[in-house]
Amino acid sequence: MATTSNRSPGCAKTEPFKLKRQQTSEANRAHHWWTWRLFGLLFLLAVSTAAQAKPTLIWLLRDLPPLTILEGPKKDQGVIDQLMPLLIAGLPQYEHTLMRVNRARGLQMLHENPFACDPALLWNKDRAQWVVYSIPAIRVVSNGLVVRQQDRSLLEPYLVGGEVDLSALLAATDRKVGVVAERSYGEFIDNILHQAHSGALTPHYGNDALSNLLSMQRLGRLQVVLGYWPEIRYQAKQAKIAEDELAFYPIQGTGKYLSGYVACSDTTQGRQAISEINQLLRTLPHAHLNQLYAAWLDPERQADYLEQARVFFEQQATH
């Protein structure tokens, strides 16, 4: 009995301690289980959120009538303006940001930004080193030279079959040609401009470069301006210059039409976007876009443009 009596106090002391330790251990396990479960839920939420986040594609838009029109009564009625909603709708995997830029800023963004695209760029050998081009998106009339009607005789010595020999004109030291600085006029003309002596060109920078060149021409400070006739007509009208005050001449060797492209930064994202844009461009209604562009041309040029553009895109579809 004494032995039993001696063990009883010991049991009374040890059993509650073991019970308390067991309860604490179970509480800790439950706490850890909820902690890890909460951590797992937060991790899954973070992964889900990251998966849902879309890359942001920056579209660089320049004022380039009749392709993009950023101001004035025909704002957002340009051909590329009306192409943009189709591009955006066809690329739902991206967030889209439209950014208005001038020529220099647009090129800088393409050169430096990992995911920027210009919807209306001519192919250029130098730029092809750091941008990636789509298949042709649109056909446009080639560049030419515009003079005031009263100055038409200035170009007569350089005319060959009604077209201007631009190389010969630029070699004449008394003739300066106004150009938009850093603009590509197509590979053929770009090569001629690069070979011209420094005094042959009057480059103009800024957002309203072409409009300012036309104003200089109207004031007699400049005689010849290089550009697209539809754009010149539009800018002249905005500057209250009557169309019949001007005469436009094509340039020998250029061909009548050029292709415009979508161009993106030459990065992994940019190349992926161009691959997807190419698939989209193959399904777009080119006939409708051609009609939109033709509406900006002289009536006598419209039928030829529509036929040539139709044939071009039909041939492209078979390649």
Side-chain angles (χ1 to χ4, degrees):
M1 294 293 295
T3 303
T4 303
S5 176
N6 289 338
R7 283 202 306 265
S8 296
C11 291
K13 291 180 180 178
T14 57
E15 290 304 323
F17 173 75
K18 290 180 180 179
L19 180 60
K20 183 177 180 181
R21 183 171 60 185
Q22 183 178 2
Q23 291 173 339
T24 301
S25 178
E26 290 176 353
N28 285 339
R29 283 198 297 270
H31 175 74
H32 289 312
W33 183 84
W34 279 107
T35 299
W36 281 106
R37 185 176 183 185
L38 178 60
F39 176 80
L41 290 173
L42 290 174
F43 176 77
L44 291 174
L45 180 61
V47 170
S48 175
T49 301
Q52 294 175 3
K54 300 178 181 180
T56 298
L57 195 167
I58 302 173
W59 290 101
L60 306 171
L61 302 178
R62 296 166 285 109
D63 198 33
L64 187 63
L67 302 183
T68 48
I69 304 174
L70 305 183
E71 299 291 346
K74 294 188 178 295
K75 180 180 178 181
D76 298 331
Q77 295 181 33
V79 181
I80 297 298
D81 291 327
Q82 296 178 68
L83 172 62
M84 285 305 303
L86 301 178
L87 290 175
I88 291 173
L91 298 167
Q93 63 271 39
Y94 302 117
E95 295 290 345
H96 298 269
T97 297
L98 306 184
M99 180 180 293
R100 178 176 178 174
V101 295
N102 59 28
R103 166 63 61 184
R105 178 57 176 159
L107 293 177
Q108 181 184 19
M109 288 287 290
L110 283 174
H111 202 288
E112 298 177 356
N113 194 282
F115 202 23
C117 297
D118 187 318
L121 210 63
L122 295 185
W123 191 90
N124 176 284
K125 181 174 64 176
D126 293 334
R127 294 174 191 166
Q129 305 301 312
W130 43 271
V131 300
V132 56
Y133 286 92
S134 71
I135 60 176
I138 189 173
R139 293 289 279 176
V140 299
V141 296
S142 296
N143 290 275
L145 299 173
V146 65
V147 295
R148 294 179 300 173
Q149 289 285 356
Q150 65 201 64
D151 293 330
R152 295 179 66 171
S153 61
L154 296 174
L155 297 182
E156 288 181 0
Y158 312 102
L159 291 179
V160 180
E163 299 180 332
V164 178
D165 182 339
L166 183 59
S167 296
L169 174 66
L170 294 177
T173 57
D174 59 338
R175 299 285 180 263
K176 285 195 174 185
V177 176
V179 297
V180 177
E182 299 186 31
R183 170 179 285 191
S184 172
Y185 290 93
E187 189 174 15
F188 180 83
I189 294 178
D190 288 346
N191 288 336
I192 295 176
L193 297 181
H194 290 158
Q195 295 170 13
H197 60 86
S198 59
L201 303 174
T202 299
H204 202 294
Y205 295 81
N207 296 336
D208 302 316
L210 180 60
S211 179
N212 289 333
L213 288 170
L214 292 173
S215 295
M216 292 170 63
Q217 184 181 56
R218 189 181 196 183
L219 295 172
R221 295 164 52 194
L222 186 66
Q223 294 172 318
V224 186
V225 174
L226 175 62
Y228 301 98
W229 182 228
E231 182 186 12
I232 289 171
R233 291 172 65 197
Y234 178 87
Q235 295 291 6
K237 184 176 181 179
Q238 297 302 107
K240 309 299 183 185
I241 300 173
E243 185 177 329
D244 59 10
E245 290 182 33
L246 303 174
F248 180 82
Y249 292 85
I251 293 172
Q252 184 186 33
T254 60
K256 288 191 287 188
Y257 305 109
L258 294 169
S259 291
Y261 302 82
V262 179
C264 298
S265 307
D266 191 6
T267 62
T268 300
Q269 284 183 312
R271 290 188 291 272
Q272 175 64 28
I274 285 295
S275 176
E276 295 160 346
I277 289 168
N278 282 342
Q279 296 178 31
L280 187 57
L281 289 176
R282 292 187 179 97
T283 67
L284 287 181
H286 284 292
H288 176 61
L289 294 174
N290 295 343
Q291 288 284 354
L292 291 176
Y293 186 81
W296 292 86
L297 303 179
D298 297 314
E300 61 271 17
R301 172 63 71 88
Q302 292 179 2
D304 181 75
Y305 168 81
L306 287 171
E307 176 62 16
Q308 295 292 334
R310 180 189 66 79
V311 171
F312 177 86
F313 285 112
E314 285 181 355
Q315 291 176 344
Q316 179 178 279
T318 62
H319 293 164

